[in-house]
Amino acid sequence: MTTQRMPPQRPQPPPSRRFVGRVDEARLWSGGGATALVAGLIALVGVLISRWLFTIPVLAPKSDGTYGDAHTTGVVLIAVAAAVMATGLLNLLLLGTPKPLAFFSWIIALATVLVVLPFRTTAPLSAKLATAVIGLVIGIAIGTLLNSVASRSIRSQRPGGGYTEPPLDNSISGDLGY
């Protein structure tokens, strides 16, 4: 009886903890759209509460009523645009940077610091504070919501090949390598 020699097997390197996954862009951008809607509503509700409940003349004189003027619409549209731009930035970071959520969090935090800009205007202090609080809440909402959306939009590579589906629930399962 003859035996065949088996070719020597090469040792397999240990699996890398580096993120090698794909982004479910449909889920990411639909979450980004929902985040944009929330950001716009935060801006609108913040202005309405400031002007109606606290009678603070945010973005327009008190004589312009509860809604104010076109500046209110502008702030709502800027909040929506900021969320859409943040989603685009997040998509790029997920595709090509190590620890994308850490970079994204820092970028959003530093951009949110821009809420100090109203303090350079000649508006009353109460209007400056109300505008800064509205901007701060918008920044926090965009950052936290998109971080959550991103963690649910990543497909991890399986050891045998292929990709896993991102979780649909709010539980955190598996190591995403962050």
Side-chain angles (χ1 to χ4, degrees), residues 90-169:
L90 180 58
N91 194 359
L92 289 174
L93 291 172
L94 286 171
L95 293 175
T97 60
K99 303 232 182 230
L101 296 181
F103 283 106
F104 180 73
S105 296
W106 270 98
I107 292 167
I108 293 298
L110 291 171
T112 302
V113 169
L114 296 176
V115 300
V116 300
L117 289 178
F119 292 100
R120 298 193 60 196
T121 66
T122 59
L125 181 60
S126 60
K128 293 176 186 180
L129 286 172
T131 305
V133 168
I134 292 167
L136 181 65
V137 173
I138 291 169
I140 290 170
I142 289 173
T144 57
L145 289 172
L146 286 180
N147 263 308
S148 178
V149 166
S151 65
R152 304 300 186 272
S153 301
I154 298 170
R155 296 178 177 201
S156 302
Q157 192 170 22
R158 291 182 181 152
Y163 291 89
T164 62
E165 286 294 320
L168 293 175
D169 61 356

